[in-house]
């Protein structure tokens, strides 16, 4: 409560005085193009968050508030235009901003696209090609949901999970995180995604499937788009980019796998959509020098992160984004705050939320 109160007060003061913009200028954050990132867009946040990773959700109501705030202060551009303007050094008039959505959830098509098209705001979707038309769940969603179900069972669930991981040979990599994270499904999900390759995550999910059940409603609400949805959006001018083939965390994989994830995902999109795919977003924002080099070799023109680490040798492959969700910019009363939004886009809170990865 005290932290929320301080954040609300400091943001209001900085926004009113112009201090937020000054911070952006002093830190150099305003020299970057503003690229906003989202994941899922739902009608009712409270209801949907019962069966989803909270920080992946934004309600249609909150999305509209955020878009209207950005639209009054920025020219909303397509990714192609934003990159062209940035590289040409065009800085007159309103600054430019772009809107992106990661993963390719069907609720972006159903809930976000109509709002953006009605407002005349261009946007981009970064899709995971193996999931297009897939009736299952993204690995990160299924891992979280099944861990949540398992942990909600009778006392001793954490111990049983630990024993399962030991028998399967996964314990050593996760043992340091397990004691404090065992009762926190999201924290344990993050630890597993950061420590295991995609194939290993799949093996853990198989183990969990034998001990948990997910209602069909839960699976249905988290599904990805199909090809017809993606083609429909492309016809309206939506830029389609690649978010890899399987959503593997690329820094966990070997170089051959990274190349396959990037090349095969791009090929699938170009074959189905009939247009070049120039933009790539790193799954989970994870990259290092090797990954950046491979993405360039796979034929992309630009790649996008979720932090402000940039490659000096290839800045076009580490374009920073600000990821938003339902509670990104709410004040102490739980209402949308334009002052907090102003501080966010100017990097006022970046020191507290600094990226822990060295990206090397």
């Amino acid at each position: 409560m005290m932290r929320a109160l301080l954040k609300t007060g400091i943001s209001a003061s900085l926004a009113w005085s112009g201090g937020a913009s000054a911070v952006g200028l002093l830190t150099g954050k305003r020299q970057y193009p503003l690229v906003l990132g989202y994941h899922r867009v739902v009608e009712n946040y409270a209801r949907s968050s019962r069966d989803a990773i909270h920080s992946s959700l934004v309600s249609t109501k909150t999305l509209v508030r955020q878009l209207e705030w950005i639209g009054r202060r920025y020219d909303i551009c397509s990714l192609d235009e934003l990159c062209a303007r940035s590289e040409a050094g065009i800085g007159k008039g309103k600054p430019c901003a772009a809107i992106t959505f990661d993963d390719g959830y069907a609720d972006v098509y159903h809930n976000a696209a109509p709002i953006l098209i009605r407002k005349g705001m261009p946007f981009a979707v970064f899709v995971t090609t193996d999931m297009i038309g897939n009736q299952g769940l993204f690995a990160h969603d299924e891992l979280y949901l099944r861990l949540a179900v398992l942990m909600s069972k009778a006392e001793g669930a954490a111990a049983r999970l630990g024993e399962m991981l030991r028998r399967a040979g996964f314990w050593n990599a996760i043992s340091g995180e397990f004691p404090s994270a065992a009762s926190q499904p999201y924290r344990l999900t993050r630890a597993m995604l950061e420590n295991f390759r995609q194939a290993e995550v799949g093996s853990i999910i198989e183990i969990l499937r034998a001990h948990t059940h997910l209602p069909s409603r839960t699976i249905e609400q988290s599904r990805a788009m199909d090809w017809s949805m993606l083609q429909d959006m492309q016809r309206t001018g939506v830029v389609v980019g690649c978010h890899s083939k399987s959503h593997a965390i690329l820094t966990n994989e070997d170089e051959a796998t990274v190349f396959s994830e990037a090349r095969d995902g791009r090929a699938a999109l170009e074959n189905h959509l009939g247009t070049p795919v120039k933009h790539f977003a790193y799954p989970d924002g994870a990259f290092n020098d090797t990954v950046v080099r491979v993405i360039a070799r796979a034929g992309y023109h630009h790649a996008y992160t979720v932090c402000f680490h940039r490659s000096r040798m290839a800045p076009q492959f580490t374009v920073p984004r600000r990821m938003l969700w339902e509670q990104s910019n709410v004040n102490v009363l739980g209402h949308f705050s334009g002052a907090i939004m102003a501080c966010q886009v100017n990097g006022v809170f970046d020191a507290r939320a600094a990226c822990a990865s060295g990206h090397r």
Side-chain angles (χ1 to χ4, degrees):
M1 179 66 174
M2 183 56 68
R3 178 180 290 181
L5 188 60
L6 284 171
K7 185 176 183 179
T8 298
I10 291 169
S11 298
S13 176
L14 287 172
W16 177 81
S17 67
S21 296
V23 169
L25 290 170
L26 286 170
T27 61
K29 296 293 172 62
R30 287 182 69 89
Q31 71 180 334
Y32 299 127
L34 178 62
V35 187
L36 302 179
Y38 295 92
H39 287 91
R40 295 185 54 196
V41 182
V42 297
E43 293 180 349
N44 185 300
Y45 170 77
R47 183 172 63 239
S48 295
S49 63
R50 297 172 197 153
D51 298 305
I53 297 172
H54 297 189
S55 57
S56 70
L57 306 178
V58 66
S59 67
T60 52
K61 179 180 178 181
T62 297
L63 177 67
V64 168
R65 296 295 302 272
Q66 292 172 344
L67 293 176
E68 289 176 346
W69 189 94
I70 291 292
R72 288 192 294 270
R73 294 159 178 83
Y74 292 82
D75 280 333
I76 308 299
C77 308
S78 71
L79 279 185
D80 291 334
E81 182 183 353
L82 179 137
C83 291
R85 286 175 59 167
S86 179
E87 291 169 0
I90 299 173
K92 294 182 179 178
K94 273 186 177 182
C96 191
I99 299 160
T100 68
F101 296 86
D102 281 6
D103 297 339
Y105 288 99
D107 51 41
V108 171
Y109 174 81
H110 293 300
N111 298 327
I115 293 170
L116 287 150
I117 292 169
R118 185 171 65 248
K119 289 180 173 295
M121 293 180 170
F123 65 100
V125 292
F126 291 109
V127 294
T128 304
T129 55
D130 276 357
M131 294 302 299
I132 301 174
N134 193 316
Q135 296 302 297
L137 293 169
F138 285 92
H140 52 271
D141 286 328
E142 185 167 3
L143 183 60
Y144 167 77
L145 289 168
R146 292 194 182 278
L147 285 171
V149 169
L150 186 66
M151 295 307 161
S152 69
K153 291 184 176 181
E155 189 177 346
R160 288 196 298 276
L161 175 61
E163 185 56 33
M164 293 176 207
L165 295 175
R166 283 189 186 89
R167 282 196 235 113
F170 295 122
W171 175 251
N172 288 342
I174 203 72
S175 59
E177 292 281 347
F178 196 81
S180 57
S183 62
Q184 302 175 52
Y186 178 69
R187 186 172 169 186
L188 194 53
T189 298
R190 294 295 318 153
M192 289 181 174
L193 293 175
E194 290 166 5
N195 282 281
F196 296 121
R197 298 190 301 274
Q198 186 78 343
E200 294 170 322
V201 171
S203 296
I204 294 171
I205 290 172
E206 286 294 336
I207 293 169
L208 292 171
R209 283 175 181 165
H211 298 273
T212 56
H213 168 73
L214 297 180
S216 57
R217 173 185 55 81
T218 298
I219 297 172
E220 180 65 32
Q221 76 164 7
S222 299
R223 280 184 177 148
M225 300 178 201
D226 59 31
W227 284 108
S228 65
M229 295 175 188
L230 202 57
Q231 290 162 344
D232 189 27
M233 287 201 300
Q234 187 197 36
R235 282 192 290 269
T236 68
V238 174
V239 171
V240 179
C242 184
H243 200 39
S244 81
K245 182 174 180 287
S246 72
H247 206 280
I249 308 303
L250 300 182
T251 49
N252 291 346
E253 308 292 340
D254 60 45
E255 189 167 334
T257 301
V258 174
F259 185 68
S260 174
E261 287 281 332
R263 178 201 59 198
D264 295 354
R266 180 170 174 244
L269 288 172
E270 291 182 343
N271 288 339
H272 279 86
L273 302 179
T275 57
V277 174
K278 300 181 289 185
H279 303 275
F280 184 89
Y282 301 103
D284 205 41
F287 67 93
N288 55 29
D289 290 344
T290 298
V291 170
V292 168
R293 185 175 68 252
V294 172
I295 296 305
R297 182 158 59 92
Y300 294 93
H301 295 192
H302 294 87
Y304 303 80
T305 71
V306 298
C307 69
F308 278 78
H309 284 92
R310 300 207 75 178
S311 167
R312 286 179 301 207
M313 299 298 293
Q316 73 273 30
F317 291 105
T318 49
V319 180
R321 289 186 297 168
R322 295 200 175 275
M323 305 303 290
L324 300 180
W325 65 293
E326 181 72 12
Q327 296 182 11
S328 290
N329 31 59
V330 296
N331 60 22
V332 69
L333 299 177
H335 301 148
F336 171 82
S337 167
I340 292 177
M341 187 86 164
C343 288
Q344 285 178 322
V345 300
N346 282 288
V348 171
F349 308 129
D350 286 357
R352 187 170 61 85
C355 177
S357 174
H359 298 295
R360 295 291 178 226

